[in-house]
Amino acid sequence: MFSKTRISTTIIIMVEVILLVSSILFCTVSVSRARVGIRKAIQQRMLDIANCASGSVNGDILKNLQKDSVGSDEYNEIYKTLSVFKDNVELEYVYCIKEEEKDHFIFTLDIDPVRPAKYGETAEYTEALAKAGSGTAAVDDISYTDTWGTFYSAYSPVFDSEGNVAGIVAVDFTADWFEGQLASQMRSTVVSYVIILVFSQIFAAILAFLTVRPFVHLQGELLEEKVRAESANLAKSEFLANMSHEIRTPINAVLGMNEVILRESRRTTQTAEDDPKAMRDALKNITIYAGDVENAGHNLLAVVNDILDFSKIEAGRMDLVESKYQLSSLLNNLSNMILFKAKEKKLEFIIDVDKTLPDELYGDEVRIRQVFTNLLNNAVKYTMEGYVKMTVRGDRREDGSLMLVAKVEDTGIGIKQDDIEKLFVKFERLEMERNSTVEGTGLGLVITKRLLDMMGGQISVVSEYGKGSTFCVKIPQKIVSETPVGDFQEHFEKSVLEARAYKESFRAPDAHILIVDDTRINLTVVINLLKNTLIRIDTSTSGAEAVKMAQKTEYDLILMDQRMPEMEGTEALHRIRASEGGASQNVPVICLTADAVIGAKERYMAEGFSDYLTKPIDSFALEKMLMRHLPKDKIEIVKEEALSEIEEETKKEGLELLSAADIDVSTGLRYCQNDENFYRVVLAEYANSADEKTENLQNSFDKEDWKNYAVYVHALKSTSKMIGAANLSQQAAKLEAAANEGDKKTIKAEHDSLMKKYEAVTEAILKIIPKNENDDDNEIMEFLPD
């Protein structure tokens, strides 16, 4: 161990050496650059003298000087003019030159009284002389030697009255003078830098000495940091060991249960056909074991998802995708999911939402849901009895935005005061021995904290060990609409306890409509939404086909999708309206689109559409719109009757499979009127059309056909939102915007991820609904053009 004195000496020497080396390097570079500057300054001084001399010479006279002009009045006039400059102590010679032919220069006048150059005598060629001959004053960069000695010369052209080069005035400076000037000024520069270097070393020594005592004092703190770092490393090792356990446990369950299933399957094949009880028992066991495999798979997926999210955040690759969303919808979906988990543990779940909160906000709905889900899942996970309560409030800010405040309170095991600061530290998991049976990575709160930091939010916690905890998060959100959430608690309880099936508001068996959409699942949705109205429905999958059908058939109404390949809905509308004598030339045409931005309705109405309906389609809005536009004599109003109750929740196995694939079943059911059979049809159509949609998307991507890529990804956006796959829908929306803007970088970065999510969603659906199961019930009629 070094003594304090030795440490101080070492530090001072280190500082001195580092500063000395860096100062020498700095001075070397600076001196080198100063030399260049000094050289240029000397050359400029030479050039100024040459320019002054050339400016005093009459170009027209100089131009006309010939060999026989020597001694003439004109010759003597120039001679006297240049003789003035000969008195300059710095220059050696002054004379005139002209270019006899290309790159050949001759003397025309020399004022040297001792040994002047004769007219026509060849002058020494240099690049600077050639440049002056072209009309630009120049100075020699290197010295040259001729009959008179070694010189650096400056050349300045003389122009006649017409602006042409009449000749060149040259002034010579000896090489000794030039180098002497350069050396003299460089000495001054070097001395200045040496003085700076010395003072900097003295200053550095004083500074180093003054910092030694504080540095030595910091050694103790550094030792503490070392201990903390080792503790963090140990925590990381424990985390990895825990991850190994968390991953191996469900894998072991999967492999073990799979072996048991195989054994039961073999036993089933060996069971006598006349022993139905044994057969039923074996199949029942297989079902139970398969459920265990499924649960283990979901646990493993949750672990992997946490690790992947954490890795993305650590690598800085987690991006926020902000958009408009409904707070009531987010809370409703969240509540349905948590209620299901709380009921399993016989816990009371309470949600208290301020009814005056604005419902339509702008932010990253997916990440906000993830934050709330992490907190609520933890509350349920660590609470054995009692309740879990979520309170949602909002504070208005001066800039007109909203600070969304959510508190999650539980009566769980609580947290020790000393451990609270460790909650948001990566690789830390509290009381491993006590919580060894609780599944999870321990990364949930770390991810929550990082997401809140990204959104400009914050999180705090108050806890009493053994009695429970309260987590509070604050997230700034922009307000899109002041429409309040209303009595969310009442609506939520009603939706849980008194959810009812759909009942049509009218019937119109004599009405005949055409639905146009390039996506089969959208056609399936609308057909099933209108099934009970008894309306006769034709369908078309392209704008061009729809135009032909509208010319031949008189419909009462047309529902027209806007975004379609080849021919968009707007163009199809214009062609229908322009078709003279067309059977449906003047019938109402309603725009059916996922374009729900501000001003979209006005834009489509201006194009000539009769009305505007957004996707995902709300069944009540659809029926209300049809009642407004269908002929009144074809509508039969249905009297309101008591509606039959739907089941409180979908089958557990199917719900878990869809949830694992990031499908919010409650959202999908809502778009299907809480009709599970209808939702099943929609899911089946979504999965059955996946191969075609995948091929179209991939082909457009490979060909960089961004126009059609935007159309196909637009369709995926709306259909995914319809079944409850919000994340997939949002990513599709992002790629649609990128395709419309020609943003290839974003498309190429996100395309593979989109396709993997699409595949995962499709595979999850096919595990519940075998492919083409609903083909016989599919009422979509495809009309091909004649």
Side-chain angles (χ1 to χ4, degrees):
M1 177 72 74
F2 287 112
S3 66
K4 293 181 180 179
T5 304
R6 191 171 181 182
I7 291 174
S8 303
T9 304
T10 303
I11 294 171
I12 292 174
I13 293 174
M14 281 176 50
V15 171
E16 285 292 311
V17 170
I18 292 172
L19 187 57
L20 179 62
V21 172
S22 60
S23 298
I24 290 174
L25 290 175
F26 172 76
C27 289
T28 302
V29 173
S30 299
V31 168
S32 176
R33 297 183 66 178
R35 180 183 176 85
V36 174
I38 292 170
R39 185 183 181 89
K40 286 184 177 179
I42 295 171
Q43 289 178 324
Q44 184 60 47
R45 195 165 75 202
M46 295 164 58
L47 195 59
D48 289 342
I49 295 171
N51 287 335
C52 185
S54 67
S56 62
V57 174
N58 188 313
D60 291 328
I61 296 175
L62 182 62
K63 179 180 180 181
N64 294 322
L65 284 183
Q66 300 296 327
K67 187 174 182 180
D68 55 4
S69 300
V70 176
S72 65
D73 292 340
E74 291 84 358
Y75 181 91
N76 291 332
E77 181 183 343
I78 297 175
Y79 190 95
K80 290 178 182 179
T81 301
L82 294 180
S83 294
V84 176
F85 294 92
K86 181 65 177 68
D87 296 335
N88 190 310
V89 296
E90 294 180 330
L91 61 83
E92 191 70 20
Y93 298 110
V94 182
Y95 50 91
C96 295
I97 305 172
K98 75 173 181 180
E99 189 172 15
E100 186 73 9
E101 56 185 51
K102 180 68 174 174
D103 294 338
H104 180 248
F105 296 87
I106 62 171
F107 289 97
T108 58
L109 185 149
D110 187 359
I111 65 171
D112 181 14
V114 180
R115 189 164 59 89
K118 297 179 180 180
Y119 184 97
E121 190 173 341
T122 301
E124 186 72 22
Y125 174 84
T126 67
E127 291 184 2
L129 177 58
K131 193 173 182 181
S134 300
T136 305
V139 182
D140 288 324
D141 284 326
I142 58 174
S143 62
Y144 69 92
T145 302
D146 60 11
T147 306
W148 291 268
T150 303
F151 304 98
Y152 285 88
S153 297
Y155 308 95
S156 180
V158 179
F159 298 93
D160 60 19
S161 57
E162 296 179 354
N164 298 318
V165 177
I168 302 167
V169 172
V171 291
D172 291 349
F173 298 81
T174 64
D176 292 339
W177 175 86
F178 186 90
E179 299 296 342
Q181 289 287 315
L182 183 61
S184 175
Q185 295 187 44
M186 282 301 298
R187 278 194 298 272
S188 299
T189 303
V190 171
V191 169
S192 299
Y193 279 111
V194 169
I195 292 172
I196 293 172
L197 183 61
V198 171
F199 275 103
S200 66
Q201 291 299 303
I202 295 172
F203 177 76
I206 296 172
L207 186 63
F209 179 77
L210 292 176
T211 56
V212 166
R213 291 176 64 87
F215 179 83
V216 173
H217 175 72
L218 287 174
Q219 296 307 301
E221 295 182 9
L222 289 175
L223 289 175
E224 292 178 5
E225 289 293 332
K226 181 181 178 183
V227 171
R228 282 196 289 268
E230 290 175 348
S231 298
N233 193 46
L234 179 62
K236 184 175 181 179
S237 299
E238 290 176 351
F239 169 80
L240 293 174
N242 179 52
M243 283 304 94
S244 175
H245 170 76
E246 291 291 338
I247 292 173
R248 290 172 66 86
T249 298
I251 289 178
N252 181 63
V254 169
L255 296 177
M257 287 296 100
N258 189 61
E259 175 63 24
V260 174
I261 290 173
L262 290 174
R263 293 179 184 177
E264 286 290 339
S265 298
R266 284 192 289 269
R267 187 167 71 84
T268 303
T269 59
Q270 296 168 3
T271 301
E273 294 182 1
D274 57 354
D275 190 356
K277 184 177 183 302
M279 182 73 72
R280 284 196 300 272
D281 289 343
L283 292 175
K284 181 180 179 180
N285 290 336
I286 289 174
T287 302
I288 294 172
Y289 300 148
D292 292 337
V293 170
E294 182 182 23
N295 289 333
H298 289 317
N299 292 337
L300 178 60
L301 182 62
V303 171
V304 172
N305 282 341
D306 274 354
I307 294 173
L308 290 177
D309 276 351
F310 179 72
S311 299
K312 284 182 180 179
I313 293 174
E314 286 286 279
R317 292 188 286 109
M318 179 75 82
D319 296 323
L320 296 179
V321 180
E322 295 185 326
S323 61
K324 293 188 296 183
Y325 70 94
Q326 286 188 318
L327 180 62
S328 58
S329 176
L330 183 152
L331 294 175
N332 186 71
N333 298 339
L334 196 64
S335 302
N336 285 329
M337 179 182 67
I338 299 302
L339 179 66
F340 177 77
K341 294 182 178 181
K343 281 185 176 180
E344 283 188 329
K345 297 186 69 174
K346 298 181 180 178
L347 300 175
E348 182 183 4
F349 177 59
I350 306 167
I351 184 163
D352 178 14
V353 181
D354 182 358
K355 63 178 66 177
T356 63
L357 279 177
D359 192 24
E360 195 168 6
L361 302 176
Y362 185 87
D364 192 330
E365 179 183 6
V366 174
R367 298 307 169 194
I368 294 172
R369 180 187 288 110
Q370 186 174 356
V371 167
F372 290 169
T373 300
N374 283 345
L375 296 179
L376 288 167
N377 277 340
N378 278 351
V380 173
K381 190 186 301 182
Y382 291 102
T383 302
M384 301 303 114
E385 59 181 2
Y387 66 86
V388 171
K389 180 179 180 181
M390 183 177 188
T391 305
V392 184
R393 297 287 185 268
D395 296 330
R396 301 277 180 161
R397 304 205 296 179
E398 292 182 357
D399 60 359
S401 62
L402 179 78
M403 181 63 78
L404 191 62
V405 182
K407 292 184 180 179
V408 176
E409 179 185 352
D410 64 63
T411 55
I413 62 176
I415 307 164
K416 294 178 180 178
Q417 291 301 310
D418 294 341
D419 288 337
I420 287 180
E421 63 180 16
K422 301 178 184 178
L423 282 173
F424 308 109
V425 178
K426 59 185 179 182
F427 310 132
E428 286 280 359
R429 196 170 179 200
L430 307 182
E431 297 190 274
M432 285 292 294
E433 293 182 2
R434 183 184 184 191
N435 300 322
S436 60
T437 58
V438 179
E439 297 172 342
T441 62
L443 290 174
L445 286 176
V446 179
I447 294 171
T448 297
K449 179 66 166 61
R450 300 290 180 88
L451 290 175
L452 287 169
D453 289 343
M454 292 172 63
M455 292 186 286
Q458 53 188 278
I459 183 170
S460 60
V461 56
V462 176
S463 182
E464 186 174 352
Y465 190 63
K467 292 188 177 181
S469 307
T470 300
F471 286 81
C472 178
V473 297
K474 296 182 179 181
I475 312 172
Q477 297 287 276
K478 296 177 183 176
I479 299 173
V480 176
S481 171
E482 292 290 348
T483 303
V485 171
D487 194 336
F488 179 83
Q489 180 66 22
E490 180 183 342
H491 295 162
F492 174 60
E493 291 175 355
K494 186 176 181 181
S495 68
V496 172
L497 300 175
E498 300 178 3
R500 297 183 178 277
Y502 156 80
K503 182 70 175 180
E504 71 276 11
S505 57
F506 75 95
R507 297 189 183 99
D510 295 330
H512 193 187
I513 69 172
L514 171 65
I515 307 173
V516 187
D517 200 305
D518 64 304
T519 306
R520 287 176 56 89
I521 187 172
N522 289 339
L523 296 174
T524 302
V525 167
V526 181
I527 287 173
N528 279 275
L529 286 175
L530 298 176
K531 181 185 294 185
N532 292 348
T533 66
L534 305 181
I535 295 175
R536 290 183 295 143
I537 300 173
D538 290 349
T539 63
S540 170
T541 57
S542 73
E545 181 184 359
V547 172
K548 292 182 179 180
M549 294 174 68
Q551 287 177 336
K552 297 179 181 179
T553 307
E554 183 178 358
Y555 294 105
D556 294 304
L557 181 142
I558 299 174
L559 287 171
M560 179 76 71
D561 182 32
Q562 166 58 16
R563 295 296 299 272
M564 293 183 290
E566 298 180 7
M567 183 186 294
E568 291 191 339
T570 302
E571 184 181 349
L573 167 69
H574 292 162
R575 293 195 181 190
I576 290 173
R577 293 287 189 245
S579 60
E580 292 293 335
S584 298
Q585 181 182 11
N586 299 313
V587 303
V589 180
I590 296 172
C591 181
L592 198 61
T593 178
D595 186 1
V597 298
I598 297 174
K601 180 175 181 178
E602 291 74 12
R603 186 170 68 252
Y604 289 124
M605 297 290 281
E607 290 286 351
F609 283 102
S610 307
D611 219 324
Y612 164 91
L613 191 63
T614 60
K615 300 177 186 176
I617 299 169
D618 180 271
S619 60
F620 299 103
L622 175 61
E623 289 191 7
K624 185 177 179 180
M625 189 166 292
L626 291 180
M627 291 177 67
R628 186 186 307 140
H629 293 286
L630 286 175
K632 302 301 180 185
D633 58 344
K634 294 186 179 182
I635 296 176
E636 302 172 7
I637 303 298
V638 176
K639 293 182 179 180
E640 187 174 351
E641 300 173 357
L643 303 176
S644 60
E645 293 188 357
I646 63 171
E647 298 178 2
E648 288 188 1
E649 56 191 36
T650 60
K651 293 180 181 179
K652 180 180 177 182
E653 294 83 358
L655 176 62
E656 290 180 348
L657 274 174
L658 295 177
S659 297
D662 209 11
I663 300 174
D664 189 337
V665 175
S666 61
T667 298
L669 281 170
R670 189 176 75 249
Y671 286 127
C672 294
Q673 306 164 337
N674 284 331
D675 186 334
E676 290 183 22
N677 291 328
F678 180 18
Y679 185 43
R680 189 179 181 88
V681 171
V682 172
L683 288 173
E685 183 57 46
Y686 184 94
N688 291 339
S689 63
D691 290 344
E692 179 185 352
K693 292 292 183 290
T694 299
E695 183 180 357
N696 289 338
L697 275 168
Q698 193 60 49
N699 286 342
S700 299
F701 176 80
D702 293 339
K703 297 175 182 177
E704 296 192 359
D705 179 4
W706 305 133
K707 181 179 179 181
N708 279 322
Y709 186 86
V711 173
Y712 294 130
V713 82
H714 171 85
L716 179 60
K717 174 187 72 175
S718 57
T719 55
S720 298
K721 188 172 183 180
M722 171 68 70
I723 67 168
N727 282 341
L728 178 58
S729 177
Q730 287 183 3
Q731 189 170 10
K734 181 178 179 181
L735 288 180
E736 179 190 7
N740 288 331
E741 295 171 3
D743 183 1
K744 294 195 290 185
K745 183 178 179 181
T746 298
I747 297 173
K748 291 184 177 181
E750 300 266 352
H751 175 78
D752 290 342
S753 170
L754 176 83
M755 300 304 284
K756 287 178 182 177
K757 284 184 183 177
Y758 189 19
E759 182 181 7
V761 168
T762 303
E763 288 179 353
I765 295 172
L766 290 175
K767 289 178 182 177
I768 302 170
I769 307 171
K771 197 164 187 178
N772 298 321
E773 175 187 290
N774 291 283
D775 277 0
D776 294 338
D777 298 328
N778 189 348
E779 298 183 15
I780 300 176
M781 297 179 290
E782 298 289 355
F783 289 83
L784 299 177
D786 294 337

